[in-house]
Amino acid sequence: EGRRAAAKRYDQWIPTSAVATPVEGAGRRHVYHVYAVRTPHRDDLQSFLQSRGIGTNIHYPIPVHLQKAFSELGGKVGDFPESEAACDQTLSVPMYPELSEKDQDTVVAALHEWAASGAEHETQRAAS
C-alpha cells in the first residue's frame, strides 16, 4: 500500500508532457515494484537526475527476444520494435514503500526542471 500511495503522488505530480507514466488498467491493481517513466530522451533524463543526486535504474535493458537465454529462438533486432523501444526508453525513478513526500517532491521538481530545460519531449502514457 505504501508503494501504491507513492505511485498515486507521482501520477498527480509528474509532468506527463515530458514523460509517460504507468497506467493502472481498469479492474487491475498495480503493485508498483518499480515506477518506470518513459521518454525517447531516457539517457539525457537519467544523466540529469543523477546530476541532482537522484538515483535511477534501467531495470529491463534488453528485450526478451534478444536475451542470450532465448537465443535458440532466433530473435533479432526489429522483430518486436515496441519491446525494443520500451527497453531503450524506460527509466525507473525512486520507488519504495517508505518513500516520503519530501523525497518524491525532489524527484518531481527535477523532472519539471528537466521538462522545462528546452529538450523536446513526447507526450505519451506507458501501458503498465
Side-chain angles (χ1 to χ4, degrees):
E1 288 305 315
R3 289 176 184 272
R4 289 180 54 76
K8 186 175 181 177
R9 288 190 299 268
Y10 273 146
D11 290 344
Q12 294 169 347
W13 298 346
I14 287 180
T16 56
S17 62
V19 297
T21 57
V23 175
E24 188 171 68
R28 305 289 185 225
R29 186 172 165 83
H30 201 309
V31 297
Y32 297 101
H33 75 287
V34 298
Y35 192 93
V37 298
R38 185 171 172 176
T39 174
H41 309 283
R42 189 232 6 238
D43 296 340
D44 177 55
L45 174 57
Q46 186 175 39
S47 293
F48 185 88
L49 294 175
Q50 280 181 323
S51 74
R52 277 140 182 86
I54 298 170
T56 62
N57 203 347
I58 299 171
H59 280 90
Y60 307 105
I62 303 170
V64 172
H65 69 287
L66 298 178
Q67 292 181 14
K68 185 177 179 181
F70 298 100
S71 62
E72 74 274 0
L73 298 176
K76 60 188 179 311
V77 173
D79 285 348
F80 297 95
E82 287 300 316
S83 294
E84 294 166 26
C87 289
D88 291 341
Q89 298 175 357
T90 304
L91 181 68
S92 299
V93 296
M95 171 55 78
Y96 48 94
E98 303 83 11
L99 185 59
S100 72
E101 286 187 30
K102 180 181 177 198
D103 288 342
Q104 274 189 290
D105 187 54
T106 300
V107 174
V108 171
L111 286 168
H112 279 272
E113 182 183 353
W114 178 76
S117 70
E120 293 182 23
H121 308 298
E122 288 185 5
T123 301
Q124 168 187 356
R125 292 191 53 88
S128 59

